[in-house]
Amino acid sequence: MFQKSDKRSQIFQAAFKLFAQKGFFHTTVEEVAQEAGIGKGTVYGYFASKQELLRQMLIFATDYYFDTFFRVVEGNGGLKEKLVAIAKEHFRFFNEHREIAKVVLYEHRYITDDLGDWLIEKEQGRIQYLVELLRSAAANGEIRVVDFKMAARMITGALWNLGMEAVISSFSGTEEELAEGIIDILWLGLSRQ
Amino acid sequence: MFQKSDKRSQIFQAAFKLFAQKGFFHTTVEEVAQEAGIGKGTVYGYFASKQELLRQMLIFATDYYFDTFFRVVEGNGGLKEKLVAIAKEHFRFFNEHREIAKVVLYEHRYITDDLGDWLIEKEQGRIQYLVELLRSAAANGEIRVVDFKMAARMITGALWNLGMEAVISSFSGTEEELAEGIIDILWLGLSRQ
Amino acid sequence: MFQKSDKRSQIFQAAFKLFAQKGFFHTTVEEVAQEAGIGKGTVYGYFASKQELLRQMLIFATDYYFDTFFRVVEGNGGLKEKLVAIAKEHFRFFNEHREIAKVVLYEHRYITDDLGDWLIEKEQGRIQYLVELLRSAAANGEIRVVDFKMAARMITGALWNLGMEAVISSFSGTEEELAEGIIDILWLGLSRQ
Amino acid sequence: MFQKSDKRSQIFQAAFKLFAQKGFFHTTVEEVAQEAGIGKGTVYGYFASKQELLRQMLIFATDYYFDTFFRVVEGNGGLKEKLVAIAKEHFRFFNEHREIAKVVLYEHRYITDDLGDWLIEKEQGRIQYLVELLRSAAANGEIRVVDFKMAARMITGALWNLGMEAVISSFSGTEEELAEGIIDILWLGLSRQ
DNA sequence: AATGAATGAGATTTCATTCAT
DNA sequence: GATGAATGAAATCTCATTCAT
């Protein structure tokens, strides 16, 4: 995920671990440095401030997540398959990168407005993408016509929340079962008679 | 909601406003006191520490939310009506008490373990309640048999997440439309043969 | 010792107990009030400040101690008997009024200069008194001629320090034995040719 | 005494000066830092807390005092010479290190139990040492048989108290005269017919 | 480039004192 | 007179950040 050799990545890795464990505010820069095996001052060679470190972590995490999100949709056939693939990948990501997920879920609050706007835009982009997906599926007669934006939000809402739960309390069942169970319910809700 | 006369409530009100605005960590006790129009020391006459203030705010908010949640389900007839009522109330609550909702959503992380356990229990209780609702609806033939727990989680997941979005970015549409749109999709997902 | 009925005395009693136990700085005015069974504000009806309370306690204790000190010397015959009586009374006082003794020993530091001067004067008076006692005993041939001031200081020094130890670590032996043992050694030191 | 170069020693020196002058409680950490010519935070780099600073000061002072105490006894011949040497060294120490002496005398109260026990043990060790000294002098026929422990306590009691006085009110006379005068009286009290 | 000792702004918390009831 | 809720000055301590080495 990160290049281990790179010192910037070492810091990232250490910060993700500690922020996930103890939160941004309860983690000191010194602890991050120690965990990364470097000196405290060195952190400031790579990031202008603690805030900036968080900012870049959130950007990294978000890019990383969305990269896989869009990649996964490309290949698959019908809408249902796409949705299952999205859900599966979502849960896989949350499971594999629990630390990253936790930081994104919990600490996205403590950022400056401009980053907040950027994040919202990213998420809006995804919603829009899903809306298009749903709309064209409706055009194909795969699903019925509903409020596509709301449906998209419902999908992402369920994914985020179940993902969060999985991260916190180690959800039972495999990622596959989880993904298929959810999409199954959604699918019937959306599909034509 | 709070009794204005009561000083404890004044502090609660001020803290909800500021914690919602700037976050728990970025708000000082002095600011809370100032906002409440009292002296810094007075806050400590009512709450042993800043942490304890947050703790009691979360307990208050959670109790307040769940009280309305369970009350709203009582009266209504079939499952669909119940679900719509739940969703409507949920969005109404989030809309009316944006500050409370924000604090609960964002700051629940910074609490001690025992309160965390208490919160999780509360949420589990709700999930269980929904599971029973779904189960008996399935027994009545209202809906088909699915993984009830997963369905319950999907419902609450969607509610939480849409609620959060509504709080942050001022969701378009009335609470009624939102609630009915969501439940409509869910309902078909659950009821279709 | 104190008149129990009097509210001023109640405060004194409470303060001696708590200051002896936890020290002047670690005792709050509220605790003193509570111990005295009165309201916090009432303390300020009797003493202008916490400092002033300590001040008056030290004056009270010192007067009380010196009163018994001078009274006890009056009656007795020769120098040795007087010294034994002084020592006995000293240890009796320290034993009976451990709390008072502790406060005097430990907290006399935290007073204003003028009280300090007053205390030093009091002590100087006692030294002077002892010097006279010794001088006239020397004139009578009871003891040899030594540096009377130094001898007086040695006496009081030993008494204070042994008293302090008795208060802290519950000295073994009765007050009588202690007094007689000490004066025996001192006496020979003073009387030997 | 302290190495001036060392920053830990600078803090010690500043703290001894200020604690002696104004007392532990009336001295702020910031003042200590200022006196030491460093920043407030730096103090905490060397001592975990204000209490810990006092604790280490008391340990330092006690070790320093007892080191010279035992060293001084080694060389000298008979008991009387030893006692004189002890007294001389005691007064010399109190005179030279007034600040240290004051802190030890006044602030030893405000320490945690474990350090208190350690200090009591140290003092007990000295008492025991003196008891042995007296006992073997009695065996040699140098002095008569008395309650050795009481005698030892009397000696240390007189030394402590006279030392305290010397520190507070600038005792008249040289250390030599003081020491010899005291021991002279004691000696006759202790010695054989 | 890397370090970590030094810094001081700023946070939480305590508590002597006041004063309206 | 008695009370205790309210106050805010002042203390301890933390930690992001700087900078000389």
Side-chain angles (χ1 to χ4, degrees):
Chain A
M1 178 181 42
F2 317 107
Q3 292 91 294
K4 275 240 172 136
S5 57
D6 183 8
K7 205 161 281 187
R8 207 181 108 98
S9 299
Q10 274 171 255
I11 298 170
F12 258 32
Q13 212 162 345
F16 271 118
K17 178 173 171 186
L18 293 174
F19 290 179
Q21 233 168 65
K22 325 180 0 170
F24 176 69
F25 279 99
H26 284 134
T27 305
T28 67
V29 173
E30 179 142 43
E31 286 169 326
V32 173
Q34 205 154 43
E35 177 73 29
I38 59 173
K40 196 186 348 174
T42 309
V43 174
Y44 287 86
Y46 291 87
F47 302 94
S49 67
K50 194 188 174 192
Q51 275 288 338
E52 179 60 19
L53 169 59
L54 176 61
R55 194 186 128 86
Q56 296 204 22
M57 285 166 69
L58 288 172
I59 291 174
F60 167 86
T62 308
D63 277 342
Y64 187 52
Y65 172 82
F66 281 115
D67 278 1
T68 62
F69 176 86
F70 286 114
R71 184 154 23 82
V72 108
V73 184
E74 295 304 303
N76 296 280
L79 176 63
K80 192 176 182 186
E81 287 71 35
K82 280 190 203 295
L83 290 179
V84 170
I86 285 171
K88 240 186 265 186
E89 173 54 25
H90 180 84
F91 294 127
R92 197 197 57 70
F93 184 91
F94 269 59
N95 217 26
E96 189 172 329
H97 305 302
R98 280 161 180 259
E99 289 169 357
I100 294 180
K102 267 197 171 179
V103 172
V104 173
L105 286 166
Y106 285 136
E107 314 297 354
H108 68 115
R109 166 103 228 245
Y110 297 107
I111 48 179
T112 43
D113 285 347
D114 60 326
L115 178 55
D117 293 347
W118 181 84
L119 283 174
I120 287 170
E121 247 173 71
K122 273 252 168 181
E123 181 66 19
Q124 301 288 10
R126 175 161 75 160
I127 294 285
Q128 205 49 47
Y129 184 85
L130 280 174
V131 166
E132 295 310 325
L133 228 55
L134 293 170
R135 194 193 309 285
S136 66
N140 291 345
E142 277 188 285
I143 62 168
R144 63 194 176 100
V145 173
V146 294
D147 181 331
F148 297 126
K149 203 162 189 179
M150 187 186 301
R153 277 213 170 90
M154 214 181 104
I155 294 169
T156 55
L159 292 183
W160 272 112
N161 209 279
L162 286 259
M164 187 173 347
E165 267 200 62
V167 164
I168 297 172
S169 48
S170 282
F171 211 67
S172 61
T174 66
E175 296 151 12
E176 299 235 335
E177 285 163 8
L178 194 54
E180 274 162 9
I182 286 167
I183 299 305
D184 184 49
I185 295 172
L186 271 168
W187 180 251
L188 281 168
L190 293 170
S191 63
R192 291 202 127 265
Q193 215 65 26
Chain B
M1 176 183 41
F2 317 107
Q3 290 94 294
K4 273 250 173 124
S5 58
D6 183 8
K7 202 155 287 183
R8 209 182 107 98
S9 298
Q10 272 172 255
I11 298 169
F12 260 30
Q13 214 162 344
F16 271 119
K17 179 173 171 187
L18 294 175
F19 289 0
Q21 230 167 67
K22 325 178 5 168
F24 176 70
F25 279 100
H26 282 132
T27 306
T28 69
V29 173
E30 182 143 39
E31 286 168 327
V32 173
Q34 209 151 40
E35 176 73 29
I38 58 175
K40 194 187 349 171
T42 307
V43 175
Y44 286 89
Y46 290 87
F47 303 94
S49 67
K50 195 187 173 192
Q51 274 289 336
E52 179 61 19
L53 169 59
L54 176 59
R55 192 187 130 88
Q56 296 203 23
M57 285 164 69
L58 289 173
I59 289 175
F60 167 86
T62 308
D63 277 341
Y64 188 52
Y65 173 82
F66 280 114
D67 278 1
T68 62
F69 175 85
F70 286 113
R71 184 153 24 80
V72 109
V73 183
E74 294 304 302
N76 297 279
L79 176 63
K80 192 175 182 187
E81 287 72 35
K82 280 189 204 292
L83 290 179
V84 170
I86 286 171
K88 238 185 267 186
E89 173 54 27
H90 180 85
F91 294 125
R92 196 197 57 73
F93 184 93
F94 269 59
N95 216 26
E96 189 172 329
H97 306 301
R98 282 161 180 258
E99 289 169 356
I100 294 181
K102 266 198 173 178
V103 172
V104 172
L105 286 165
Y106 285 136
E107 314 297 353
H108 69 115
R109 160 114 223 235
Y110 295 106
I111 50 178
T112 45
D113 285 347
D114 59 325
L115 178 55
D117 292 348
W118 181 83
L119 285 172
I120 287 170
E121 248 173 69
K122 275 252 168 180
E123 181 65 19
Q124 301 288 10
R126 177 160 74 159
I127 294 285
Q128 204 49 45
Y129 184 87
L130 281 174
V131 165
E132 295 309 323
L133 229 56
L134 293 170
R135 195 194 307 282
S136 66
N140 291 343
E142 280 188 283
I143 61 167
R144 62 191 176 100
V145 173
V146 294
D147 181 332
F148 297 126
K149 204 161 188 179
M150 188 185 300
R153 277 213 170 90
M154 216 180 101
I155 295 169
T156 56
L159 292 183
W160 273 112
N161 209 280
L162 286 260
M164 188 173 344
E165 269 201 57
V167 163
I168 296 172
S169 49
S170 282
F171 210 68
S172 61
T174 67
E175 296 151 13
E176 296 236 338
E177 286 163 8
L178 194 54
E180 273 162 11
I182 285 168
I183 298 305
D184 184 49
I185 296 172
L186 268 167
W187 179 252
L188 280 169
L190 291 169
S191 61
R192 285 290 186 72
Q193 226 52 34
Chain C
M1 177 182 40
F2 317 107
Q3 290 94 295
K4 276 240 173 136
S5 59
D6 183 7
K7 205 160 282 187
R8 210 182 106 98
S9 298
Q10 275 171 253
I11 298 169
F12 259 31
Q13 212 162 344
F16 270 119
K17 179 174 171 184
L18 293 175
F19 289 0
Q21 234 168 63
K22 326 179 357 169
F24 176 70
F25 279 100
H26 284 132
T27 305
T28 68
V29 174
E30 179 143 42
E31 284 169 328
V32 173
Q34 205 154 45
E35 178 73 27
I38 59 174
K40 197 189 343 177
T42 309
V43 174
Y44 286 86
Y46 291 87
F47 303 94
S49 68
K50 195 188 175 192
Q51 274 289 337
E52 179 62 18
L53 169 59
L54 176 60
R55 194 186 129 87
Q56 296 203 24
M57 284 165 70
L58 289 172
I59 290 174
F60 168 86
T62 310
D63 278 341
Y64 187 52
Y65 173 83
F66 280 115
D67 279 0
T68 63
F69 175 85
F70 286 114
R71 185 155 22 83
V72 109
V73 184
E74 295 303 303
N76 296 281
L79 176 62
K80 192 177 182 186
E81 287 72 35
K82 281 191 206 291
L83 290 180
V84 170
I86 286 171
K88 239 185 266 187
E89 175 55 25
H90 180 85
F91 293 126
R92 198 197 57 70
F93 184 92
F94 270 60
N95 217 25
E96 190 172 328
H97 306 302
R98 282 162 179 257
E99 288 171 356
I100 294 181
K102 267 198 172 179
V103 172
V104 173
L105 286 165
Y106 285 136
E107 314 296 355
H108 67 115
R109 164 106 231 239
Y110 297 108
I111 49 179
T112 44
D113 285 348
D114 59 325
L115 178 56
D117 292 348
W118 180 84
L119 283 172
I120 287 171
E121 248 172 71
K122 274 251 166 181
E123 181 67 18
Q124 300 288 9
R126 176 160 75 159
I127 294 285
Q128 205 47 48
Y129 183 86
L130 280 174
V131 165
E132 294 310 325
L133 228 56
L134 292 170
R135 193 194 307 283
S136 66
N140 291 345
E142 279 188 282
I143 60 168
R144 63 193 174 100
V145 172
V146 293
D147 181 332
F148 297 127
K149 204 162 189 179
M150 187 186 302
R153 279 214 168 89
M154 215 180 103
I155 294 169
T156 57
L159 291 183
W160 273 112
N161 209 277
L162 286 260
M164 185 170 350
E165 266 202 60
V167 164
I168 296 172
S169 49
S170 282
F171 211 67
S172 62
T174 67
E175 297 151 11
E176 297 235 336
E177 287 164 7
L178 193 55
E180 273 162 11
I182 285 168
I183 299 305
D184 183 50
I185 295 173
L186 269 168
W187 180 251
L188 280 168
L190 292 169
S191 62
R192 286 289 188 72
Q193 227 51 34
Chain D
M1 177 182 42
F2 318 106
Q3 292 93 292
K4 273 250 173 124
S5 58
D6 183 8
K7 201 156 287 185
R8 208 182 108 98
S9 298
Q10 271 172 257
I11 298 170
F12 260 29
Q13 213 161 344
F16 270 119
K17 179 173 173 187
L18 293 175
F19 290 180
Q21 229 167 69
K22 327 179 2 170
F24 175 69
F25 280 101
H26 282 133
T27 306
T28 69
V29 173
E30 182 143 39
E31 285 169 328
V32 173
Q34 210 151 38
E35 177 73 29
I38 59 175
K40 194 192 344 173
T42 308
V43 174
Y44 286 90
Y46 289 86
F47 302 95
S49 67
K50 195 187 173 192
Q51 273 289 336
E52 179 61 19
L53 169 59
L54 176 60
R55 192 187 130 87
Q56 296 203 24
M57 284 165 70
L58 289 173
I59 289 174
F60 168 86
T62 308
D63 277 341
Y64 187 52
Y65 173 82
F66 280 113
D67 277 1
T68 63
F69 175 85
F70 286 113
R71 185 153 24 81
V72 109
V73 184
E74 295 304 301
N76 297 280
L79 176 63
K80 193 176 181 186
E81 286 73 34
K82 282 190 202 292
L83 291 179
V84 170
I86 286 171
K88 239 185 267 184
E89 173 55 25
H90 180 85
F91 293 127
R92 197 198 56 73
F93 185 91
F94 269 58
N95 217 26
E96 188 171 330
H97 306 303
R98 282 160 180 258
E99 290 169 355
I100 294 181
K102 267 198 173 179
V103 172
V104 173
L105 286 166
Y106 286 136
E107 314 297 355
H108 68 115
R109 161 112 222 235
Y110 297 106
I111 48 178
T112 44
D113 285 347
D114 60 324
L115 178 55
D117 292 347
W118 182 83
L119 284 172
I120 287 171
E121 247 172 72
K122 275 251 167 181
E123 181 67 16
Q124 300 288 9
R126 176 161 75 160
I127 294 285
Q128 204 49 47
Y129 184 86
L130 281 173
V131 166
E132 295 308 325
L133 229 56
L134 293 171
R135 195 195 307 284
S136 67
N140 291 344
E142 279 189 280
I143 61 168
R144 62 193 176 99
V145 173
V146 293
D147 181 332
F148 296 126
K149 204 161 188 180
M150 188 188 299
R153 276 210 169 93
M154 217 182 99
I155 294 170
T156 56
L159 292 183
W160 274 112
N161 210 279
L162 286 259
M164 187 171 349
E165 268 201 58
V167 164
I168 297 172
S169 48
S170 282
F171 210 67
S172 63
T174 66
E175 296 152 12
E176 297 237 336
E177 286 163 9
L178 193 55
E180 273 162 10
I182 285 168
I183 299 304
D184 185 48
I185 295 173
L186 269 168
W187 180 252
L188 279 168
L190 293 169
S191 64
R192 290 202 129 262
Q193 215 66 29

